[in-house]
Amino acid sequence: QVQLVESGGGLVQAGNSLRLSCVASGPMFSMGWFRQAPGKEREFVAAIAWSNTEYSDSVKGRFTISRDNAKKTVYLQMNNLGPEDTAVYLCAARMNWDIGTLAGEYYRWGQGTQVTVSS
């Protein structure tokens, strides 16, 4: 069974950057990042298979998802952050190598890490 632990969240000023990490304790196939702001639905952010990636329109060009299989870690590099990026960011794991943008396609989730961007 896979267990996911996120880290790297924090408080930053608009225009700055953060890098989130997600460490898997079990098998790591395709992985995804989602985010959820207070009062809003969970939103797809980015996903990665072995090397193929997919991004939401709201983060494309600013965020980069990557993975280090030796470290069993998935990263989300977030550049040029704005207040609209404030949310709890959650790492999620699939049980195969398909890429998906729907939360229901992922079977394991981390507990989330808070990202807060001030104006």
Side-chain angles (χ1 to χ4, degrees):
Q1 300 186 65
V2 62
Q3 185 172 355
L4 308 175
V5 180
E6 303 101 328
S7 63
L11 173 64
V12 298
Q13 289 185 296
N16 289 342
S17 300
L18 282 174
R19 188 181 72 162
L20 307 183
S21 298
C22 173
V23 180
S25 62
M28 193 174 76
F29 298 103
S30 292
M31 304 289 292
W33 286 98
F34 292 74
R35 66 187 182 186
Q36 188 163 23
K40 293 188 176 181
E41 298 291 327
R42 187 167 296 178
E43 176 188 15
F44 169 76
V45 176
I48 184 169
W50 182 262
S51 60
N52 287 25
T53 59
E54 188 167 346
Y55 299 91
S56 69
D57 290 340
S58 62
V59 308
K60 189 174 184 179
R62 298 188 298 122
F63 291 10
T64 302
I65 187 171
S66 61
R67 62 191 292 156
D68 185 330
N69 294 314
K71 296 181 178 180
K72 299 181 68 176
T73 302
V74 178
Y75 303 97
L76 184 67
Q77 178 67 45
M78 306 184 295
N79 296 331
N80 194 25
L81 287 163
E84 68 275 11
D85 297 312
T86 295
V88 173
Y89 283 72
L90 302 112
C91 179
R94 292 190 61 133
M95 61 177 69
N96 55 46
W97 285 107
D98 296 330
I99 283 189
T101 61
L102 302 177
E105 296 172 322
Y106 296 80
Y107 85 110
R108 284 289 187 271
W109 296 79
Q111 65 181 30
T113 185
Q114 177 71 47
V115 173
T116 303
V117 184
S118 63
S119 301

